[in-house]
Amino acid sequence: DDSYVNVNVFDLNGKIASTLNSGRLEKGNHNFKWDGMSNSGNMVSNGVYIIQIKTNGYESMKRIIFEGE
């Protein structure tokens, strides 16, 4: 089975900084790596961001600290 899965990175103002996945994924474990680039193609500022994983009947949010080079 597969499900529609959204994986977004939000800034602390609630604005989507980056979308890591927006589409169907097969059941199982998946890894996502964020390079600090925004959806507009710019490097985001260092700081705290929220990763949101949302799918059918499930939602999880985690705080992360981004420290670019």
Side-chain angles (χ1 to χ4, degrees):
D1 286 349
D2 59 348
S3 295
Y4 194 84
V5 179
N6 281 321
V7 181
N8 291 304
V9 180
F10 289 87
D11 65 20
L12 291 181
N13 294 320
K15 180 181 174 192
I16 294 177
S18 184
T19 300
L20 304 181
N21 190 80
S22 180
R24 296 191 85 69
L25 290 175
E26 289 184 19
K27 189 175 186 178
N29 294 325
H30 300 276
N31 293 307
F32 297 94
K33 185 175 180 180
W34 182 42
D35 59 5
M37 297 298 283
S38 69
N39 284 342
S40 60
N42 299 312
M43 183 63 69
V44 301
S45 300
N46 290 349
V48 178
Y49 291 85
I50 306 294
I51 303 286
Q52 178 196 54
I53 301 168
K54 195 172 186 179
T55 186
N56 303 344
Y58 175 81
E59 183 176 343
S60 177
M61 297 173 126
K62 294 256 186 194
R63 287 173 42 124
I64 62 164
I65 297 174
F66 176 74
E67 295 178 346
E69 297 184 34

